[in-house]
Amino acid sequence: MSESDRLPKLPTSHLVRDLATMDQALYETVTVTRTPTLDSALRRLSAAADHSKLSFGVAAGLALCGRRPRRAAVLGVAAIGVASATANLLGKKLVRRPRPHRAEDSPFPGRHVPMPQSASFPSGHTASAVAFAAAVGPSLPVSAVPLGLLACAVGYSRVHTGVHYPGDVVAGALLGTGSAALVLALTARKDG
C-alpha cells in the first residue's frame, strides 16, 4: 500500500469550502481590527499601485541609472505585462469571484478604497507588484528585498482596504511569481 493510499481522501468540494471559510475568516479579522495609523498609509499605497503606477515609477527611476538597472526595469515591466494580462483577461474572467462585502456600517470606512467593478480573484495589483519585484530582483539583487517588501505591502493593502480576500492576494502572488519566471526564462533562452 502506497503512502497516498493511506492518507484520507478529501472530496475537492470539501477542501474548497474549507479554504473559502478560512479566507472569509481572515478577511473579517482584518476588517474588524483597529489600525488607525496604518489605514491612511495603506489606502494611499493601494491607490498608488493602481495600474502599476508605483512599479512603473520605480522602473523609470531604474532606467535612468545605467545599463544593468535599465535591463532590470525592462524585465520588470515585461513581467507586469504578463501578470496583468493573465490576471485580468484570464483569471478574473474564468473564476468570477465576487468582491468582499463591505457593510454599510463598517467600523472603519476611512480605510476603504473605491470598490473595483472587476472580479476579485486573483488580485491584479498583487500579481503585478510581485511580478515586477520577482523579475527585477535577480538582475539587480540590491533591489530584491525592498521590492519584495513593497509587493507584500501592496498585497496586504488590498485586503486591508476591503477590496480583496487574502486568497485573492495569495493567488495574485503566485501568478506574479510565475509571470516573472516566464519572462526571465524566455530572456535567458534568447540570450543563451
Side-chain angles (χ1 to χ4, degrees):
M1 181 183 269
S2 73
E3 183 68 27
S4 63
D5 291 335
R6 285 181 276 187
L7 295 174
K9 300 214 187 286
L10 290 174
T12 305
S13 62
H14 294 291
L15 179 60
V16 170
R17 186 184 65 231
D18 288 352
L19 288 173
T21 300
M22 282 180 38
D23 206 19
Q24 180 70 37
L26 287 169
Y27 174 77
E28 289 175 5
T29 298
V30 170
T31 65
V32 298
T33 303
R34 179 178 291 280
T35 55
T37 306
L38 290 176
D39 290 352
S40 177
L42 290 171
R43 189 178 61 245
R44 285 194 308 271
L45 176 62
S46 185
D50 285 349
H51 309 291
S52 299
K53 292 182 296 209
L54 196 55
S55 295
F56 289 139
V58 171
L62 290 174
L64 299 173
C65 295
R67 185 172 184 225
R68 191 165 164 214
R70 188 176 309 116
R71 177 177 167 76
V74 169
L75 292 171
V77 168
I80 289 171
V82 172
S84 182
T86 306
N88 294 307
L89 301 177
L90 190 61
K92 289 180 184 290
K93 295 198 185 309
L94 288 176
V95 178
R96 298 181 186 213
R97 183 182 194 186
R99 294 279 176 169
H101 173 72
R102 289 197 284 205
E104 302 247 344
D105 59 347
S106 172
F108 313 113
R111 70 170 50 166
H112 295 156
V113 295
M115 185 67 77
Q117 296 300 308
S118 62
S120 191
F121 184 93
S123 167
H125 282 68
T126 306
S128 293
V130 168
F132 183 77
V136 171
S139 298
L140 201 60
V142 70
S143 70
V145 170
L147 289 178
L149 291 173
L150 182 60
C152 290
V154 166
Y156 176 73
S157 77
R158 301 303 285 168
V159 176
H160 192 89
T161 58
V163 294
H164 277 293
Y165 293 102
D168 303 335
V169 169
V170 170
L174 292 172
L175 180 60
T177 302
S179 298
L182 176 65
V183 166
L184 293 174
L186 291 174
T187 303
R189 187 173 171 192
K190 181 182 149 251
D191 293 346

